[in-house]
Amino acid sequence: MTLSAQLRNLALAVCATALLFTSTASAAPPAATATSLRIDASAKGTPFPHFWEQMLGSGRASLALRDDYRKDLDAVHQATGVGYIRFHGILDHDVGLVQRDPQGKISYNFSYIDQIYDGLLEHGFKPFVELGFMPPELTSDPAALQAFWYRPNVAPPKDYAEWDAMIGALAKHLVERYGIDEVASWYFEVWNEPNIGFWAGKPQQSTYFTLYDHTVRALKAVSPRIRVGGPSTAQAAWATDFLAHVHKNNVPVDFVSTHVYGDDTADNVFHTSENIPRADMVCRAVDKVHKEIAASPYPHLPLIFSEYNASYANLPNVTDTVFMGPWLANTIRECAGKVEAMSYWSFSDVFEEQGIVRNPFYGGFGLIAANRIPKPAFNAFAMLHKLGDKRLVVGSDSALATRRDDGSVVIALWNYAPPVGNTASYTPGEPAGAPKHFSLDVRHLPAGAHATVWRLDATHGNAVAAFDRMGRPDSPSREQIVQLREAGKLAAPESVKANNGKFEITVPVQGLVVVELR
């Protein structure tokens, strides 16, 4: 590292330190914006289920057999309340379910499927079963391969009788192995994003509806208790048409699923020319589909966004950085009350859609980078897990106030700013904006209540800062990996006295703070 680089890093560290917790006696930084919040700890509140930590996405099914995948599962389980895992490829060739002998006879091998689902259950998770993609032995077009590195086949089946038989055999096996009470607690989703490059049927919508109809009927023939839904579309599409189709044809449906990403365009999602910010796109889409379900013949069907993230691309200044803390907190604030579950894509960078990971911070979707290095987004999930299940009124678009069953008040505060860079190449630099200074007055707290404060920002829980100082090596040494894991840990909390429920917090740009009052 050059002397000038060392001096620059020192200057950045000094600036960051100046933004740390301020007591009631401390003045807000001169450039900070000021917000006063009053919260009634005794208010009745409204239900606030943790919809954002019901489910997480992951790399394709066969990766669930790997040791590093399962270690990342354990880390997520310990830090959050996530209950379901969803992945592509349970029907792909590398899982080995379907074989066809030289005489054309089909048989099934459940060995890897059993190991995959046994592993999820043993590590504290339930499967959200995405039924895809097409086994090569059943495909109508062997050349219909999607662009992912592992090249899944996305054609319709050559013979729907063979598809129906496979789906029925899979469901029967799962019920025999795990019991119907367990399997009835899972979700079964038909395919993935049939409205874009993951379905080669023509026309896409009508041929997908045929696939859905066959699949749900084959599953329900095994047990009507198996939960099935769709259309699992990209860009929050098809919900109205899908529900009209199943209603007209008396086809079972137990939930609606779809996807959206923060950088999807208004043209693709809403068919408008609006410029919708990354901070708002996901929840604008959630609101759209929520209203479509309410206006349908099934107004009370659960809505599941089975994929979402701030970006559908590999953008290292987005998914790898502390930007994700405020983005995630704001997404939770905006989406609350409109969705049953949202599945962040994904929990780990044990992930190979674009090929084998070359650099631990390449803009992967995971909460945990390669080599089991926690990203800032992982710490954001761990911090926001502390929120209660009753939401209290708070007059800010940069705050959430909640109460837990034990009476503790938990508040999230954040300072959203756009990412520094928006390309596949990492862009060093400081985000634009000023610190936010919050003056809080939490009324009706028990006498002697004190505040415990967790932070995520440039100098707290941020492995990327340490990675930058290392020169962003493609292959960190074993010693560097240990250092990065340590740098990525959730920072130790601060304990601060709340004077009759009054205290002050300064949050730096792209910072997230969670305060527990008890």
Side-chain angles (χ1 to χ4, degrees), residues 14 37 123 135 141 164 186 188 260 304 320 355 418 425 452 517:
V14 170
L37 303 178
H123 287 257
D141 182 2
D164 296 349
W186 302 4
F188 290 76
V260 75
I304 297 175
D320 287 345
S425 298
T452 303
L517 293 152

Side-chain angles (χ1 to χ4, degrees), residues 177-463:
R177 185 173 183 83
Y178 302 108
I180 186 55
D181 288 343
E182 174 62 36
V183 175
S185 72
W186 302 4
Y187 294 85
F188 290 76
E189 180 183 45
V190 180
W191 213 253
N192 174 73
E193 298 187 348
N195 59 320
I196 58 173
F198 293 94
W199 178 243
K202 300 296 180 186
Q204 285 179 317
Q205 189 181 84
S206 62
T207 56
Y208 170 76
F209 289 168
T210 299
L211 178 79
Y212 179 85
D213 296 353
H214 277 267
T215 306
V216 67
R217 286 172 172 149
L219 291 167
K220 296 287 189 179
V222 174
S223 172
R225 295 177 61 191
I226 295 176
R227 292 190 288 191
V228 193
S232 190
T233 41
Q235 301 163 348
W238 290 7
T240 296
D241 291 346
F242 173 70
L243 292 175
H245 166 79
V246 295
H247 183 257
K248 178 181 178 181
N249 295 281
N250 195 29
V251 181
V253 61
D254 297 306
F255 61 90
V256 173
S257 67
T258 189
H259 308 159
V260 75
Y261 286 82
D263 47 11
D264 276 326
T265 67
D267 180 36
N268 284 330
V269 179
F270 299 99
H271 311 297
T272 69
S273 58
E274 300 171 79
N275 182 17
I276 300 175
R278 191 190 302 271
D280 301 322
M281 173 56 79
V282 167
C283 293
R284 282 278 303 272
V286 167
D287 182 67
K288 166 185 174 286
V289 183
H290 173 76
K291 290 175 178 174
E292 289 170 348
I293 294 172
S296 79
Y298 308 93
H300 304 297
L301 271 184
L303 171 59
I304 297 175
F305 266 71
S306 52
E307 284 185 32
Y308 82 100
N309 201 319
S311 177
Y312 57 77
N314 295 138
L315 305 181
N317 287 92
V318 177
T319 49
D320 287 345
T321 69
V322 297
F323 164 82
M324 292 302 298
W327 184 86
L328 183 64
N330 186 66
T331 297
I332 292 167
R333 178 188 69 85
E334 289 189 357
C335 292
K338 300 176 181 179
V339 60
E340 181 94 358
M342 293 181 70
S343 180
Y344 184 92
W345 188 261
S346 58
F347 85 89
S348 169
D349 280 346
V350 178
F351 194 89
E352 295 175 349
E353 288 181 0
Q354 290 78 41
I356 299 170
V357 173
R358 295 176 179 271
N359 181 297
F361 292 102
Y362 69 100
F365 304 115
L367 298 175
I368 303 174
N371 299 306
R372 307 200 315 276
I373 302 165
K375 296 186 189 180
F378 177 88
N379 291 326
F381 263 83
M383 291 166 62
L384 295 166
H385 178 63
K386 301 176 188 297
L387 292 170
D389 60 4
K390 288 288 189 294
R391 186 175 182 179
L392 306 175
V393 174
V394 59
S396 174
D397 61 3
S398 297
L400 271 169
T402 65
R403 186 178 60 244
R404 296 203 292 243
D405 288 343
D406 64 2
S408 301
V409 173
V410 184
I411 304 165
L413 307 166
W414 59 90
N415 187 352
Y416 179 86
V420 173
N422 195 35
T423 71
S425 298
Y426 179 69
T427 304
E430 301 281 338
K436 282 183 179 288
H437 187 74
F438 293 90
S439 297
L440 292 98
D441 182 0
V442 185
R443 301 184 174 187
H444 303 121
L445 283 173
H450 70 277
T452 303
V453 179
W454 287 267
R455 289 183 173 274
L456 173 64
D457 54 46
T459 59
H460 295 82
N462 181 20

